[in-house]
Amino acid sequence: VQLQASGGGLVQPGGSLILSCTASGFKLEHYAIAWFRQAPGQEREWALCISSMTDSTHYADSVKGRFTISRGNAKNTVNLQMNNLTTEDTGVYYCAAERGAFYYCSGDGPHEFWGQGTLVTVSS
């Protein structure tokens, strides 16, 4: 059973990046998926999530209007589209799976599985 985050890299301010969260060993459709991020020297913070049954999405104010979470066409994948990136978006991004959470999700969890993190660096 594993959750893997991928797609991080270096991008210029104003640019875009797509992260993916892929599950193996369990069906991602039964879980709400959240993305957290941790900037250098700061605590990890919740960024956004998608619920399991209704795919309702919820965003922190810091990413609202710029980031979009969706379930991918590929099975067992959730994508995070990040647009208009700023240097404040730099950090390690983690995806996490919460069982249930059919209609609503948040950063509260509990999250049963965590990905290993993927580094996003926004710099000119």
Side-chain angles (χ1 to χ4, degrees), residues 20-83:
S20 294
C21 180
T22 303
S24 58
F26 66 101
K27 293 185 177 181
L28 209 53
E29 61 188 14
H30 298 158
Y31 290 78
I33 301 300
W35 285 93
F36 293 79
R37 62 184 186 177
Q38 186 168 19
Q42 297 188 21
E43 294 187 354
R44 187 169 60 192
E45 66 172 3
W46 171 78
L48 71 173
C49 63
I50 184 167
S51 69
S52 61
M53 180 180 292
T54 61
D55 287 349
S56 66
T57 56
H58 306 273
Y59 300 88
D61 288 342
S62 58
V63 305
K64 194 175 296 182
R66 300 186 299 121
F67 290 14
T68 303
I69 186 172
S70 63
R71 295 192 183 270
N73 292 328
K75 286 187 176 181
N76 265 9
T77 299
V78 169
N79 295 322
L80 171 57
Q81 171 75 51
M82 304 187 294
N83 297 327

